[in-house]
Amino acid sequence: MILQYVPFCTEHTAAYDYVIKRYLTECYELRNDTTSKYYNTPYGKPAIIVLCTHWHDCRTVYNESIRKLAAKWGVPLIEFDKYIGFSKNVLHPVTGKPFSQLYSTDIQVTEGIAYGHHPIRGEQSYMQQRMAAIFVDLMTKILPIKY
């Protein structure tokens, strides 16, 4: 049972942990598959796994669990919440509400406070552009350069 190996476990943590373990195993086992281009390699298919936090810091349980999973497995972490440009700890100076409400399509109450939940989507969305920039910046450091 996965739960016994993950001391910081939630249902989502256990699910992510299982998927990571399963994916790594399946990639490794491709070294034994005669139809695979990774057949007879010592390591199988190289597995690239990247985890991401929620787009802002109000989802503390999720973000902390993802950080611990990334550390456990040694995989890169895209910390949207760290680089998004605002924090749940500071309210907007004009509206007096969390900044996330300005950039979202809906509201989620977390620990009694209404935060923006899903960011406004689309190519012209400031938050989507910001998240894309954060994502691309880290992925250029993770993925191998092919010439």
Side-chain angles (χ1 to χ4, degrees), residues 1-9 14 17 21 72:
M1 182 175 178
I2 291 289
L3 298 177
Q4 67 189 4
Y5 302 114
V6 187
F8 49 89
C9 192
D17 193 66
K21 184 176 183 178
K72 173 187 176 182

Side-chain angles (χ1 to χ4, degrees), residues 88-114:
K88 69 181 178 91
N89 300 321
V90 178
L91 300 178
H92 189 276
V94 176
T95 67
K97 297 178 181 179
F99 278 85
S100 61
Q101 287 187 16
L102 297 173
Y103 303 109
S104 63
T105 59
D106 60 348
I107 302 297
Q108 179 183 45
V109 176
T110 304
E111 299 173 2
I113 300 171

Side-chain angles (χ1 to χ4, degrees), residues 21-32:
K21 184 176 183 178
R22 178 78 186 258
Y23 182 66
L24 291 171
T25 300
E26 289 179 3
C27 287
Y28 179 74
E29 289 302 327
L30 285 174
R31 69 195 189 101
N32 300 317

